[in-house]
Amino acid sequence: MGQIAFGGDYNPEQWPREVWAEDMRLMRGASVSMVSVGIFSWALVEPRDGEYDFGWFDEVMDNLSRNGIAASLATMTASPPPWLTRKYPEILPVLADGTRMWPGGRQAYCPSSPAFRAHATRLVRLIAERYRDHPALALWHIGNEYGCDTPACYCDLSAEAFRTWLRARYTTVDALNEAWSTKFWSQRYDDFAEVLPPRTVPAFNNPSQQLDFARFSSDEILGCLLAEKAVIRELTPNVPITTNFAGYSHALDLRRWAEELDVVSFDSYPEPFDPRAHVEAGLTYDVYRGARGGQPWLLMEQAPSAVNWRERNAAKEPGQMRLWSWQAVAQGADAIMYFQWRQSRGGAEKFHSAMVPHAGPDTDQHRDIVALGAELASVPEIVGSRPDNDVAVVLDWASWRALELDAHPSSDVQQLDALLAHYAPLFTANIACDVVSPADDLSSYRLVVVPNLYLVSATDAERLTDYVRGGGHLLMSFFSGIVDESDRVHLGGYPAPFRDVLGLRVDEFRPLDAGQVLPVELVGQTGGATLWSERITLEGAEVQGRFTDGSPALTRSEFGDGVAWYLATRPDPELLQTLSEHVAARAGVEPVLTGLPKGVQAARRGDFLFLLNHNPRPSTVDLDRPMTDLLSPGSAPAEHVELVARGVAVLR
Amino acid sequence: MGQIAFGGDYNPEQWPREVWAEDMRLMRGASVSMVSVGIFSWALVEPRDGEYDFGWFDEVMDNLSRNGIAASLATMTASPPPWLTRKYPEILPVLADGTRMWPGGRQAYCPSSPAFRAHATRLVRLIAERYRDHPALALWHIGNEYGCDTPACYCDLSAEAFRTWLRARYTTVDALNEAWSTKFWSQRYDDFAEVLPPRTVPAFNNPSQQLDFARFSSDEILGCLLAEKAVIRELTPNVPITTNFAGYSHALDLRRWAEELDVVSFDSYPEPFDPRAHVEAGLTYDVYRGARGGQPWLLMEQAPSAVNWRERNAAKEPGQMRLWSWQAVAQGADAIMYFQWRQSRGGAEKFHSAMVPHAGPDTDQHRDIVALGAELASVPEIVGSRPDNDVAVVLDWASWRALELDAHPSSDVQQLDALLAHYAPLFTANIACDVVSPADDLSSYRLVVVPNLYLVSATDAERLTDYVRGGGHLLMSFFSGIVDESDRVHLGGYPAPFRDVLGLRVDEFRPLDAGQVLPVELVGQTGGATLWSERITLEGAEVQGRFTDGSPALTRSEFGDGVAWYLATRPDPELLQTLSEHVAARAGVEPVLTGLPKGVQAARRGDFLFLLNHNPRPSTVDLDRPMTDLLSPGSAPAEHVELVARGVAVLR
Amino acid sequence: MGQIAFGGDYNPEQWPREVWAEDMRLMRGASVSMVSVGIFSWALVEPRDGEYDFGWFDEVMDNLSRNGIAASLATMTASPPPWLTRKYPEILPVLADGTRMWPGGRQAYCPSSPAFRAHATRLVRLIAERYRDHPALALWHIGNEYGCDTPACYCDLSAEAFRTWLRARYTTVDALNEAWSTKFWSQRYDDFAEVLPPRTVPAFNNPSQQLDFARFSSDEILGCLLAEKAVIRELTPNVPITTNFAGYSHALDLRRWAEELDVVSFDSYPEPFDPRAHVEAGLTYDVYRGARGGQPWLLMEQAPSAVNWRERNAAKEPGQMRLWSWQAVAQGADAIMYFQWRQSRGGAEKFHSAMVPHAGPDTDQHRDIVALGAELASVPEIVGSRPDNDVAVVLDWASWRALELDAHPSSDVQQLDALLAHYAPLFTANIACDVVSPADDLSSYRLVVVPNLYLVSATDAERLTDYVRGGGHLLMSFFSGIVDESDRVHLGGYPAPFRDVLGLRVDEFRPLDAGQVLPVELVGQTGGATLWSERITLEGAEVQGRFTDGSPALTRSEFGDGVAWYLATRPDPELLQTLSEHVAARAGVEPVLTGLPKGVQAARRGDFLFLLNHNPRPSTVDLDRPMTDLLSPGSAPAEHVELVARGVAVLR
């Protein structure tokens, strides 16, 4: 890809032929370089079992290549056609409470269904054979937003697949019993055949069973992708493969999935009503850039303006679509694409904004698209560049899933809240960071932040300990290091695997009531503590912050050549800002740029410095040396950058 | 009917014979002229399949005729008896998520069930044959509150009936695919046999499928009524037919249903806790009067005081039952009836107030009934008279259903809210109006108000356009004219079919967040805008109101000989009051009476002027000429009327 | 039992053998005298159908007896093992909406399942035979928290059992029809075979059917206990029997159940976040003490600190565990036990605090346990002593269940709210009371409080009337005496069976809106009235309080030799405090101790006076004579007691 790919989902099947010609003309005018095609075309290309109609799609592909537009070619299996689920009703997925899901929406299939998989791969083989040598084919787009609408299935087929998965994981049922602590509540299994998915139960489900079922469900959906990938690799070994993730959730283990892809892509829909939406979006971008070790990623879908699936769907403000697109590029995107090219006339997403709205191209919305397409096309040199960050934030899928199981000290402790709480002050301070797995090599970072790592293996705990021993700085929050991979408590006093490095023991969790705020003082500043407190016995750590009863709220432990901080509560944002900057400064971490006005984001990719004014008013930025704004082609290098409201500069 | 019918549901089967004699005596004392009988008697008159026991019911009918009381004779099919659903369990209805509904409540039947329909019509034939010549028989009361508890069924029988209905509507599956936009999300049907009701799905259901299923469900329940009607018409061609609707909802298309009835009747239960309940009630009365083109209607059920099915069931204040009864008459009722005659001792409605309460007739509640009965009987000349209004408010069932489907710009935009928001200022200003269908002849109105008409056919849009062209005044609110009968967007810029008459194009919907209020100025007055805003391009219209950013919030377009106003938001009630009066005045509309104290409603029916004091304190009304209060028999004509708190005057 | 039993649930199967030895050592150190064993051991002792492994359990029992610790021996049937429900899937219970409950939690069995009962009693026989002569066996602990997770089952087996139960209750289907008022809504049954549980229905369920199903469900679960009891009594006629209730709810009729036990035990988990938790706990203790006529009871489970099953699980404050344990003793407990001995490493309750926490015995939590164990062991003379109270508060299970059925005047009127509202002022005033059934002999009480007795039989109404006639004082609140045992209204004006004794008739219920507060004046003090008001006609009673419109809110009626008060609303807590003390004083009731500081509870058991300081600060109590604090062994008798924050004194 020689430039930042620009385009969107293209669904010409929804329109008569005369519109197709206009589409091509408009795409050229909008600098569109790539489109995703065929995502929901199964029912059209295979109208009956084993009968195919590819002619119209040939035409679409030919139109694209004739117009120099690359195809991100979908495998067309995102939703089974009605004839398929009528013929094999067992394909229809089932919820934990036994509710069968029906056709009429999308993604109504059980990922473990042999009938679904057989028909899907048969279709994919035909598609790959037909278009393997088509000049438009640039990227395989397997499925679509896997697990978004059907993150798990609890049917009998899924139960059988779950048992197969468990046999592979545990070999013996005794090992499963041990991992699942089934001596509790008379749950001992005498045979794998007795095991079921965690369907609706009286009281609480077995948490280890739930955790394994979450792992299984992610793996099982991945199995659908892998079945298609095998066909594709066989027939087109050199065409890269992606799938577009729907944001990120604990349903799919992104790190595991990313291993199977050549490039990561995903769909990003920040909430325009939220004045801090760009911070949460920035976190998502860093999560995805981290998924394959810093490799640039593709923004496969965003909305030109409003979406349609929220309760109230805000339109974007003027300039906001451009700003947020550039933010994605600044944080690693090599593609800016949309759902969708032309706004649907009917169906469930007809009120989702599009590159060509209902009123047609003679609209501000389309003109904004055209302008951005041209702008992105003007800076091909950005493609492939990467940041080089000193701070890592840890996120682990198994821990996330386990953290949010039932019957914990406080159900208010949620992974994404913790992650965002600790990410936001770094973002605000323009301290760029990577989101990493605890299994990654951390040695290159000056500071590693662990917002929460409830579940940790002995190996990962040792890696984090070694990181500090070797001179790293660690900031870890409460309720980390509590359980092992099977959700069994690490005995010996919380957090057993981190007691040495942190220099303390947590004697009792004291979660706070809903809305309760305790006064707290951290590194000399006072503020409010929320969600959690605990009773700590010091074992070498020094106190750096206290609750009003004098008990420790923040500790600092020198360990080996490094330093480990431990935070026993969730401070309010202002206080956590102070703390984060304090800890970062002591770790020798510097922001991307100092002295930035509030609300202006600075980001680096290779040689490029991006300035993003998230304020609805102009801002002036002082640079430390003269730089040139690539988006103002004729301009001279300057040490001051004037950013309009929601303005962007790409400097070099 | 020579007088305003007065009475209620009469269920003597719940009481021993000795009570029946007292019932007759008390009914005579209360001027009761009509009662509904047999509504839930199926299980008693047919205790076993094909075995009948009508003896006790003969006695009831004979008692009525002997006492000069007319029977609104139910067809007794409102709830199937337990033996029937035990024998044919497929009669039991099923929810969208597959949950089977069971006996033990009421209305537990699938309207498409052949077994249910066969048994119901067999019973109706027996009833009609038996009582066709009975002197008490005055009105057929088919079913009871159709669709109230079971508005739709999703079972396999319903699925088959839905397919039959669709085959009749579309002939070919291609036509269905086109109407339902099934190229979206891989939903193309290859055969009608693949189509299902919109059961629970992952993601959003197909909106066109949902819309057609709503039409089908209304038609299918109507099919139950029609099957019974066919028997009745055959045997008693001259006895009028009604069914009592439960308020009105989008479940049953009132306009379609009303065509099949001789007179419309319904059940009205305003919320006494709501100080504006009479406004919402007034709207309901106008909706029902409009159902058969202004024909008087029957208030088939109201509560003497509290109901029992709300979370908290307020008793009515002293005078409120009388006031609200007269309001119904003022707005077109020719019957004032209650649920129910004698308060049940057991069962689910025993705490619903009744004409004879648990404590018996020696109670204020019963005395109020007796007084009102006598009062109503004293003014037989009101019967049959009609109003003659200059303002119409448009309500369309298909549009209502479509508006409230999922995945719209804002789920806060709801039909009844819009309708009430625009109706209330007219009511408050004592501007009487009719509620009409967009398919009605509008030419006689000075002003037509369209609170929302999201879905509109080309024909209906043209009719509204012609109305303005011919000199009419139109006030249309946002998100109207968006889709066609199949919920497909009218292309070419919103609202395509109304762009000419309104003189504008809506470029983007900008719904507001929950609780968000924007400042807005309309016709010179400032206030708050809620729910919605949008970006408008003027195409001939002039701006009559603006948001603070200067963009249009209200426009006025002269078109042909008329004027079309367009309102791009929901103003707060005070501002909408100003706007409504402004627009009405410019259309030459006058209130029923000017200079009325706040909270006093004036309404006309033929020669009669009704004054209704909804205030909990006295009010004085000045008339423009001396009139006589029919409710104060001996009084002389006067130009001033003194109304007590919650008082009523009927003037001529 | 020669001392206050001390211990907890002991689940050694969750731990390796080496931990068992430490358990014994630590139990001895903590003065543990009794533990509950085997509660969830079914899947371990019977790993396959009919194959048994009791060896490990023999060892547990032997360890206990060797260490002088009594076994509260569970029957091990609290949760069926996975192999059992796999073999007999009909054991799995079903919700009212048809949702099947699955294994993976606990208590997943239908109480009517023959397969479950057969396997359960087969196991119990083996256990009883094996351990009948074991020296550790002190108490049979049947099941565990019956009905807590599965309070009812709606499956077809349950339906059949329900019909059997109904045949026994009613003999003829006509009698059932009469009791259930089935002439309403066409519900007449022609045969018992047509009757079903109250599954999900359109509209409201038949309330009498719901009420009988609640009775049936309690009886059916009790049937499980009785089946096990029969085996146990046969084999060990002299070993006492208990089952531990989970708090109390309307699911299980405690009075009926208590008849079948030798001693009542239950699990108490006050909410530490609630500053008034001790009041609600005190009510629970009085409810359970009343279950067997004042007999001391066993606190079978409490938490050493936090539980794990709330949304947010507060830790107990320092001293709070000791204080609340002594409160239980003060109100009748002869055992203080915990869930559980050693905190689980895995499973759904691993974050529930325990006597030995995850960090082991070298913790404050364990040290607090050790200290309390020693303290309780030092006062064996308390065992068996009882209070002697002048006030009774009435609670009836049938009335409770009926009160909370649907379609009532106000769903805000709930039994436990009413009970607590009337109990709290007595507790606050240190007026000790018993919680009794309306079927109990009330003649020894000076005052009987009836917070709500919606359902009352003619017999019970007569008993209450006789109580007043004989000189008793009665305080009855609104919506009492409304229906009979079948939820049919007592005709003749509310509350018909109490009109004579109260000297009034209630003409109309006027429930208040959510959050609505009416000004009211009672016995000379003004305050707020909530929830309810009504219109009363006096028939001999005198008015002692009024709403602002002058209508009666409180009446007093002299009847026979006694006095009956009637309260027509729910006053705010302060006003109800005044009223309660006023009524109690006029009845000649005296507090346990006068002049106590606020927040200090005084309670008597036999010769012992307990002082419990619920304040988080010290308090000083003046006695009327010198007494000795048994918890301060060497101290001299004194007339002043200094209580530390959350401190306790046991005086004699």
Side-chain angles (χ1 to χ4, degrees), chain A residues 5-37:
Chain A
F6 187 69
D9 277 20
Y10 179 40
N11 298 301
E13 61 267 44
Q14 296 177 20
W15 299 94
R17 284 295 193 290
E18 55 269 25
V19 174
W20 297 15
E22 190 196 32
D23 286 337
M24 289 301 104
R25 184 174 57 76
L26 293 174
M27 283 188 191
R28 287 198 314 270
S31 313
V32 165
S33 57
M34 184 161 77
V35 292
S36 297
V37 283

Side-chain angles (χ1 to χ4, degrees), chain B residues 305-328:
Chain B
S305 184
V307 300
N308 67 307
W309 38 264
R310 295 195 175 101
E311 288 297 289
R312 299 153 203 93
N313 298 287
K316 288 183 179 169
E317 296 296 331
Q320 199 163 44
M321 186 273 286
R322 173 177 177 256
L323 170 67
W324 287 359
S325 298
W326 277 110
Q327 182 189 354

Side-chain angles (χ1 to χ4, degrees), chain C residues 270-478:
Chain C
E271 164 61 276
F273 279 133
D274 177 6
R276 301 277 288 165
H278 58 286
V279 181
E280 194 167 343
L283 169 57
T284 304
Y285 301 154
D286 288 348
V287 166
Y288 273 99
R289 196 185 60 250
R292 286 183 56 83
Q295 179 185 321
W297 45 275
L298 313 179
L299 182 60
M300 191 61 92
E301 292 183 16
Q302 67 169 336
S305 183
V307 300
N308 68 307
W309 38 263
R310 295 195 175 102
E311 289 296 290
R312 298 153 204 94
N313 298 286
K316 289 182 180 170
E317 296 295 330
Q320 199 163 44
M321 186 273 287
R322 173 177 177 256
L323 169 67
W324 286 359
S325 298
W326 276 111
Q327 182 189 353
V329 173
Q331 294 189 241
D334 272 0
I336 296 296
M337 299 177 68
Y338 300 84
F339 179 83
Q340 61 179 333
W341 168 251
R342 188 178 281 274
Q343 193 165 5
S344 296
R345 204 187 152 202
E349 297 193 323
K350 61 184 169 295
F351 291 114
H352 194 292
S353 60
M355 300 167 82
V356 181
H358 285 142
D362 182 17
T363 49
D364 285 348
Q365 192 158 301
H366 185 66
R367 281 184 284 271
D368 286 349
I369 292 290
V370 170
L372 180 63
E375 200 171 61
L376 288 166
S378 71
V379 285
E381 56 268 51
I382 293 169
V383 171
S385 58
R386 301 184 176 205
D388 179 17
N389 297 326
D390 287 338
V391 179
V393 177
V394 170
L395 173 64
D396 179 67
W397 259 255
S399 184
W400 179 358
R401 290 160 173 164
L403 176 69
E404 299 184 358
L405 293 172
D406 306 321
H408 276 202
S410 173
S411 62
D412 292 339
V413 180
Q414 298 281 308
Q415 187 68 58
L416 294 187
D417 292 348
L419 190 60
L420 186 59
H422 282 268
Y423 177 85
L426 298 171
F427 186 97
T428 298
N430 278 292
I431 295 169
C433 63
D434 296 337
V435 177
V436 300
S437 156
D440 286 343
D441 175 13
L442 306 171
S443 57
S444 69
Y445 295 104
R446 289 180 186 272
L447 172 64
V448 170
V449 177
V450 177
N452 175 279
L453 193 62
Y454 165 70
L455 176 154
V456 72
S457 67
T459 313
D460 287 350
E462 193 51 38
R463 184 178 302 104
L464 281 158
T465 301
D466 283 346
Y467 162 74
V468 178
R469 186 179 287 119
H473 287 238
L474 173 71
L475 171 59
M476 176 174 284
S477 265
F478 63 89

Side-chain angles (χ1 to χ4, degrees), chain B residues 180-222:
Chain B
W180 287 13
S181 303
T182 59
K183 286 174 178 167
F184 181 79
W185 280 359
S186 191
Q187 296 179 352
R188 178 191 172 276
Y189 296 100
D190 196 58
D191 192 301
F192 278 108
E194 293 161 16
V195 184
L196 290 166
R199 293 174 179 166
T200 305
V201 300
F204 294 109
N205 262 299
N206 180 309
S208 308
Q209 180 186 11
Q210 290 177 294
L211 180 58
D212 271 347
F213 190 71
R215 289 178 171 120
F216 158 79
S217 296
S218 176
D219 285 355
E220 201 69 2
I221 299 173
L222 180 59

